[in-house]
Amino acid sequence: MEFRVLGPVEVWKDGAEIPLDGSKQRTVLAALLLADGRIVSDERLSSLLWGENPPATLNAQICTYVSRLRKSADPGMEILRQRPGYLIRLDGARYDHGDFERLAQAGRLALREGRHSDAAEKLRAALALWRGPALANVTEFLLGAEQLRLEEARVAVLESRIDADLALGRHAPLVPELTGLVAEHPLREGLRAQLMTALYRCDRQADALAVYHDGRKVLVDELGVDPGPTLTKAHRDILVACPTLDAPASRIEIAPRPAMLPADLGDFTGRTAELARVATVLGDDDAPAVPCLITGMPGVGKSVLAVRAAHLARADFPDGQLYVDLAGDVEPAEALAWFLRALGVEEDALPTGLEERIQVYRTLLATRRVLVVLDNASDDAQVAPLLPGGPTCRVLVTSRAHLPALAAAHPVALEPFGTDDALVLFAAVIGVARYDAERDAAERIVARCAGLPLAVRVAGTRLVARPHWPVSRLLDRLETSGQLLDEFRIGALDVRESLHRAYRTLPALARTGLRRLALLDVPDFPAWALAALLEVPEEPAEELAEALLDARLLELRIDCGGRQRFAFHDLVRPFARERAEDEEPPRAARAAMDRAFGAWLSLATECSRRLDGVGARPARGGASRWRLAGGLVNDLAETPVAWFEAEHGALVALVAQAAASGQAAAAWELAGACEDYFELRGHQHDWRRTYQRAHTAARTSGDPRGEATMQLGLARLAGYRGDANASLTYADRAAALHAALGDPVGESEALRRCADAYRHLGHPDAAEDGARRALEIALAGGDRAGTAGARTALGDVLADRGRAGEARAEYRMAVELSRALPDARRTAGALGGLARLDLDAGRYADAESGLAQCLAVYTLAGDQAGRATTLTHLGQLRFAEGRHDAARSLYRDALALLNGLGLQRRYAHACAVTGLGRIAVAQGESGRAVHLLTTAAELWTGLGLATRATGVLTELDGVLGRPRVTA
């Protein structure tokens, strides 16, 4: 409990102010406190409360005020009724006026005994207890009775403190302070004499005499008296240059100059730009005294940079450097005690309360130039009390997070080292010769450190401690250790502990979120992933993600749509997984993972449904879904391609993780939901590996629907890549599996894929049979989309067989069916077939119209492969029209798209190269024609289309025999 009257009357307990009811209750409390244990009569209290006009119920009201005080301040005090009034007893509570008198008495005793430094510190501490004018919120009657007495006591202590400072030779910094005090108290001759002495010692005798004459005039004009003995003696001593005015060397005490900085590191590496920014802030005397705040993740080198910058700036801070490591929840009061001792405050004069220590600390630093380094600060509550109040000091703070109390601070954010700086540090620690001898192993060790300077230093220090180890031995341990962080520890250097300190400061739910995020194998993730893992709404999940980001346990990413994503540093993830293994109940962890898989699956399914030109809904098995809030789903799925682009890496990783952990349904459903996106964007590698992993998981777990779905998807992928043989193998197996499942939709599509593969392989009978079986099954099952697809496939077969009329009929029925479905690309496929028939029949205008419609659909859907195929057909049209330059441009555009997609062996690619060869023949470029047609024949052969290859070789023979071409 703490009672305060030197400023507003207040009562504090455990760092919080206890409310008091109005000025009269404060007046009663202050009157009792100022009586110093003596009885205050009812009559005295009445006069202090109401002056000469007390109410008739004054005794009852006084009793009420006392009763309320007893309830508010108990047990820190006891108010006793002892007639004719009341007295107060403080039971171990602090009382600022009592502390003030105690310190003032001790300071004056030290002054009389010649202990000037001790005197100055104690008197400063006494004055630091004042928070403004005394009794600032009591009645006017108490204020009139006591304020002048208290103010006189304060100024008297102030004069004694100035006497101590003068005896210590601190006259120069006293001049501005005394100038202000004399202006505030023009009739106090003691202060004026002290100012004259300070000016004289600064070789400003004329100014000192002017101060005397100004004072004499004020005394005569306002009081009609001459200066008293003190001022007169100061004037006379200055006139005769009395030696007593000088500060004898024997009486000058040098104030302590703390030097608390830790040792600098001799192998400090990198951070050139950051070090320059810190140096600029510390060295700019003209700028406001705003702290410099160094932030960054645990182990990134904040303390190392701060210590190096502080050592480089020591010469700019002649009054010393204060340093404290605030890690481990160091209380501000404890840190202030260290600082005050370093500044010369003796133990018996050390204030016990936080506020008093703050005031003494700021008073001591008010005129000094000191650098204060606050290392490893955790929050505002730690930092704010340790900030000096004056303009001459500078403060350097390190913290993982940005601190609101330092919103105006100069920020210096540290990121992990780049490869070059990390290698330089590692070589500096282990020695250049050892580094050069095993450079490859050294580089791989540094790569495992992921740019974290602490990890690099630990790895290097371990090798220094074991000179008999080859560098490669540490590399082997890093690459094979089941507990990676065990290898990043030696002595007090410990990456795990550095991360654990940050982890311990997190709220419980944030710690749980970090652990569960680490269970996911994804490279990065959105904030809504936390909503699924923790089963909380999206808004608190975002706040938790920001809290983890502030603690520097997550890193920020921005996706292609400008949305925030989060990621683990490579050494934070294993730490968080360790915490998950130790702290997460297995059932809760599995449930959290299921929700996360379900959230991604739900969104992927919705975004796949919304892709332009795609109408097919991904197959569904037994995997659970976890639905986010509808508004968020609509917001994310509004631009489905952008969502897939942002989640691409996560989705691929989740398929692999689900497959590896035995969650086959989640694996194949996620893979299936991504297929249309993979196709549209040409991500064949991820399409293949997700489907293969999911297929293996489905087969291993005995999930025939998953196996059938993945087989069919692999058939589509093989067809997309132009590998007709592989497509036929997958499609044939998929047809059998879907038939066994009684799934006519899947069976029909699989048979269509078989028909397409047979067509490209030059087996028209098998192709037509497969297409007709697919059509029969789709019609029987009422599958409109499957019927449209089968009619397009049948049309393709019939067109190849020269039965143009039948093909046109199938295409037209496919167009009619498709236009009633939400699948524009299926319509474009049939329209493309009609356009090719028109082209073969010489109806160029109709062909161009159909191809233009196809191109518009594929462009809107972002289907680059479809665009390339259509551009190839347009090239054939332009060639037929005799517009060879236009045809060449279209073929080249098609090849550029296909090359960008990695589809150099696709059917359209062979068509485009063949077309370019024919253009070369038509334009008489024999050499170019031979090269292009030879390449085209190789492409057709590679696609398994021998008939096409033979046709091109026949054209090539014609070029070699005589330069002519049949268009």
Side-chain angles (χ1 to χ4, degrees), residues 87-239:
L87 65 82
I88 190 169
R89 289 177 180 169
L90 301 183
D91 184 16
R94 295 297 307 274
Y95 172 36
D96 61 355
H97 183 253
D99 291 342
F100 170 76
E101 290 189 325
R102 175 180 59 79
L103 287 167
Q105 182 178 1
R108 288 193 177 108
L109 176 61
L111 186 62
R112 289 195 300 271
E113 294 177 351
R115 294 182 286 111
H116 302 118
S117 179
D118 188 22
E121 300 301 341
K122 285 183 168 60
L123 295 168
R124 273 194 176 85
L127 293 166
L129 297 171
W130 285 70
R131 297 165 289 110
L135 308 174
N137 52 359
V138 300
T139 64
E140 59 183 306
F141 309 109
L142 176 60
L143 198 63
E146 295 286 357
Q147 189 180 45
L148 287 178
R149 175 177 72 86
L150 294 173
E151 178 63 14
E152 176 63 28
R154 185 188 73 83
V155 177
V157 171
L158 180 61
E159 289 181 347
S160 296
R161 193 224 81 204
I162 293 170
D163 279 340
D165 283 342
L166 286 170
L168 291 169
R170 300 171 182 168
H171 40 273
L174 283 173
V175 170
E177 180 185 6
L178 281 166
T179 301
L181 289 171
V182 168
E184 185 181 355
H185 304 281
L187 300 178
R188 292 195 74 94
E189 297 183 44
L191 290 173
R192 194 174 291 272
Q194 288 172 326
L195 176 57
M196 291 169 62
T197 301
L199 287 167
Y200 177 82
R201 290 181 180 176
C202 291
D203 295 328
R204 297 172 59 184
Q205 292 90 335
D207 291 336
L209 293 172
V211 169
Y212 169 79
H213 290 299
D214 289 343
R216 184 177 185 281
K217 185 176 185 301
V218 168
L219 290 169
V220 171
D221 290 347
E222 295 196 15
L223 301 180
V225 298
D226 289 324
T230 300
L231 195 57
T232 300
K233 182 178 184 304
H235 178 238
R236 183 174 59 250
D237 287 347
I238 290 172
L239 290 175

Side-chain angles (χ1 to χ4, degrees), residues 808 835-847 877 880-881:
R808 186 177 297 277
R836 291 191 296 276
L837 290 176
D838 289 333
L839 175 60
D840 292 340
R843 291 193 289 270
Y844 297 154
D846 291 340
L877 172 62
E881 292 173 334

Side-chain angles (χ1 to χ4, degrees), residues 639-653:
T639 52
V641 172
W643 184 85
F644 273 115
E645 293 285 1
E647 300 297 339
H648 184 144
L651 290 165
V652 171

Side-chain angles (χ1 to χ4, degrees), residues 408-542:
H410 297 282
V412 177
L414 298 188
E415 299 297 334
F417 271 162
T419 301
D420 290 344
D421 282 340
L423 289 172
V424 170
L425 175 58
F426 190 66
V429 175
I430 70 171
V432 175
R434 196 173 182 188
Y435 171 83
D436 287 339
E438 294 185 78
R439 182 180 293 268
D440 180 65
E443 291 176 352
R444 290 166 63 188
I445 287 173
V446 168
R448 298 288 292 184
C449 296
L452 195 66
L454 177 59
V456 175
R457 185 170 295 281
V458 170
T461 303
R462 290 194 68 185
L463 288 172
V464 171
R466 295 166 177 81
H468 55 284
W469 276 17
V471 176
S472 57
R473 178 169 179 182
L474 178 59
L475 175 63
D476 291 341
R477 293 173 67 96
L478 291 175
E479 292 183 339
T480 59
S481 174
Q483 294 291 328
L484 178 63
L485 297 182
D486 285 349
E487 304 301 325
F488 287 113
R489 177 178 61 194
I490 183 169
L493 300 176
D494 189 339
V495 171
R496 179 188 284 113
E497 179 56 30
S498 177
L499 295 170
H500 207 283
R501 284 197 296 268
Y503 176 76
R504 285 194 297 265
T505 66
L506 294 172
L509 192 59
R511 292 198 298 271
T512 302
L514 184 76
R515 296 193 299 267
R516 292 181 180 177
L517 283 170
L519 297 174
L520 299 170
D521 290 341
V522 296
D524 52 34
F525 39 84
W528 54 256
L530 270 172
L533 288 166
L534 297 173
E535 211 168 4
V536 299
E538 287 78 20
E539 186 173 340
E542 289 182 4

